[in-house]
Amino acid sequence: MATPTLDKTDKAEAGFADSPFIMATFRIRRFNPEVSDEAQWQDFQIEIDPKERVLDALHKIKWELDGTLTFRRSCAHGICGSDAMRINGKNRLACKTLIKDINPDKPITVEAIKGLTVLKDLVVDMDPFFQAYHDVMPFLITKGNEPTRERLQSPEDRERFDDTTKCILCAACTSSCPVFWNDGQYFGPAAIVNAHRFIFDSRDEAGEQRLEILNDRDGVWRCRTTFNCTDACPRGIEVTKAIQEVKRALITRRF
Amino acid sequence: MQIHKYDTVIVGAGGAGMRAAIESTKRSRTAVLTKLYPTRSHTGAAQGGMAAALANVEEDNWEWHTFDTIKGGDYLVDQDAAEILAKEAIDAVLDLEKMGLPFGRTPEGRIDQRRFGGHTRSHGEAPVRRACYSGDRTGHMILQTLYQNCVKEGVEFFNEFYVLDQLITEVDGVKKSAGVVAYELATGEIHVFQAKSVIYASGGTGKFFKVTSNAHTLTGDGQAACYRRGLPLEDMEFFQFHPTGIWRMGILLTEGARGEGGILRNKDGERFMEKYAPVMKDLASRDVVSRSIYTEIREGRGCGPAGDHVYLDLTHLPPEQLDAKLPDITEFARTYLGIEPYTDPIPIQPTAHYAMGGIPTNVEGEVLADNTTVVPGLYAAGEVACVSVHGANRLGTNSLLDINVFGKRSGIAAAEYATKSDFVELPENPGQLVAEQVERLRNSTGTERVADLRTELQECMDANVMVFRTEQTIKTAVAKIAELRERYLNVSIQDKGKRFNTDLLEAIELGNLLDLAEVMAVSALARKESRGGHYREDYPNRDDVNFMRHTMAYREVAADGAESIRLDYKPVVTTRYQPMERKY
């Protein structure tokens, strides 16, 4: 039963075996207020395996060409949420984007995510983003006495909010949202996603309070359903759907 | 230079740091200094589960868990500590559930449990379902839940603050912790934090290997800060190589994949683990599985044109099961390898994963200055620490457990110590060492590049002190590390600025890696036996007569400034389990 699966030529191996390096141009939006008040584009040409990540390319540039290039990163496989950036005009994680998937025949543009203040190169001020997250009370709130053992929750109830538990707070969604670009007061998709995670958790008893917070003028009603957030989410969360569910809960008061 | 005063300072905001912060913030004025935003920590990359003998799905008890932990650690585990770990596991899981962690559930609504390597019923009879999990995102859920509760408790974070020095003041002949020195990434400013208690929870040091599941930021900063101030490091030769990293990249594919029924196969399609571990098969402990994989590869049964990997086969599992239980790792295979795990096996190889060794502590998290003397006011928890609950090899799911049990314990102990103690006077010019280090790197005109030295270090470590070691390979590593340390004095950086100077921080991190790599290699050279994750081909057997003891490595500085490593040993605490031959 096992051997048939092994007869297939392993796709990854086939790829790695004849991995031709290519020349790729990375056009990076640079900004360092210690040097200049103006941001500018800078091109870097590097030889790289197209199956590598954009993060690998940025490292190659930083380590071999220009040590001043500055960006955040940590886990390098799409879990920590450090390296959201705008790559070819779309928000993605640099560590989850392979070069071959973004047409390296043309210059690949890399710039900081939008709507948050750029501090240096690809590094933005994340504090407003985390403040919005804090404002939705992102923690389980329960009443009454604590049970001795775990609270019970059926697999169906657990499944109800599974999608929004995946959020890694990378800000790819919020910084892809045109409403947020124009008005930084808007909570933004990520905060709503994290409110959703608790509103639809059967153990939580503060759904009404959270809904009132999101009923605010800077809350869910600002969403214009452009789906940018859903497209941007590197975790595949249906962000717009979650926002819609919160809107519906506000109308029906059922959640 | 700014000076801050807090009762308790916690270094690091992964699972252990945040679990400690939740306790210490309730009891004392606490600051958490973290080089990453808290939710970026590598706890989030843990996948498969957290062990606790809840017995929700089948008979289990904490005594079996204790035994498995000790046997898994090849009898280098301190047995009193392992018992605490296994006993307190149950409350640790229930605490997290009450904090909101979305565990997977049984049809009855209880926390569901799955099988994991080395966890057995009745002292090795058969695998037991002990790992509490949330899909293959258990670490992510723990990190998020702990952060959520830090928000709830109003924990004060200093984000992107790199702790680079531990301050110690001698009071009446006793070395006491006085605080830490941190570098603020955003501004380049140096901050001194005077604190009654300091807890290190800064994680591991896996980045001295090339193929590793560790984040770029896991550079052993906490271990290095303590070690440079004369404190010992325990059992640094013991490093875990996780059997299933994505081939060449090292990205972790959870052991939960084998817990769900996944099978390792060689190029002939053979389920080779049956030969090496007849009872536990693919769920033998990680050191055993990693050695088995490399034995297959060495004997010519590896896969691919170069025969340098084996397969993790999930193709016989229903797609619905993969989607429900292993969504992230199947996506990793698709994203990074272009492979569909429903139909194709995944190429894997062992990946450097976890440091069993670290800063020695007792079961309250208090750091030891030697085999018995506590450093008042200094604590450590999580991967940075060595309690030792993992001994020579950690069982899967025991690290998420460790950070919760000993994070909580150290948080309570540190805060209680702080409330009944006075501040210790800071040493003169407390920020001097860090200021000099930063200035030296910023002004250096040397010709060596950080990235080159780091690559050479990683390649050397992979080649010489990985799964198989011999006196010759370790000596090669020791010599190479010495050369790299010499060349490190001649590195220069390109970014001379103050603002977000990650170029500078990478140089400092490399210095930490070099120091710790040297400790690891020297400790490994002296341990002339094979035990757990430390396998010496020239000494293939465990030697309980000479080596059932912990290594304690100290940095010595001679009058002329020459540095060396002094090795000492510490007895293993044995309570009720006498060493036996280890079979799976």
Side-chain angles (χ1 to χ4, degrees), chain B residues 200 202-205 220 222-224 226-227 231-239 354-361 367-368 380-391 516 519-520 523 550-553 570:
Chain B
Y200 280 90
S202 47
T205 179
Q223 293 91 323
C226 290
Y227 173 68
L231 298 175
L233 294 176
E234 181 175 349
D235 289 343
M236 289 294 282
E237 64 271 40
F238 294 102
F239 207 92
Y354 186 88
M356 270 73 74
I359 302 170
T361 73
V367 170
L368 300 175
E383 191 174 346
V384 71
C386 180
V387 181
S388 157
V389 288
H390 306 307
L516 298 172
V519 176
M520 179 194 220
S523 302
H550 300 290
T551 306
M552 300 283 275
K570 187 176 82 162

Side-chain angles (χ1 to χ4, degrees), chain B residues 191-241:
Chain B
H191 298 251
V192 173
F193 286 80
Q194 190 177 15
K196 296 171 183 173
S197 290
V198 171
I199 307 174
Y200 280 90
S202 47
T205 179
K207 219 46 202 177
F208 51 40
F209 288 102
K210 183 177 170 199
V211 176
T212 174
S213 63
N214 280 209
H216 286 286
T217 43
L218 286 171
T219 50
D221 308 344
Q223 293 91 323
C226 290
Y227 173 68
R228 278 197 211 113
R229 289 297 183 178
L231 298 175
L233 294 176
E234 181 175 349
D235 289 343
M236 289 294 282
E237 64 271 40
F238 294 102
F239 207 92
Q240 177 164 85
F241 303 94

Side-chain angles (χ1 to χ4, degrees), chain A residues 12 47 59 142-143 166 177 192 203 209 218 243:
Chain A
E47 195 182 43
H59 271 146
T142 57
K143 296 176 188 144
K166 295 189 300 197
C177 173
I192 301 171
R203 300 169 298 173
Q209 280 169 268
D218 296 317
I243 297 172

Side-chain angles (χ1 to χ4, degrees), chain B residues 504-535:
Chain B
L504 170 72
L505 267 307
E506 282 192 36
I508 291 173
E509 289 170 333
L510 172 65
N512 294 342
L513 289 176
L514 285 167
D515 282 1
L516 298 172
E518 185 180 38
V519 176
M520 179 194 220
V522 168
S523 302
L525 187 61
R527 185 172 284 275
K528 296 179 176 175
E529 65 154 355
S530 291
R531 185 186 294 270
H534 171 71
Y535 190 83

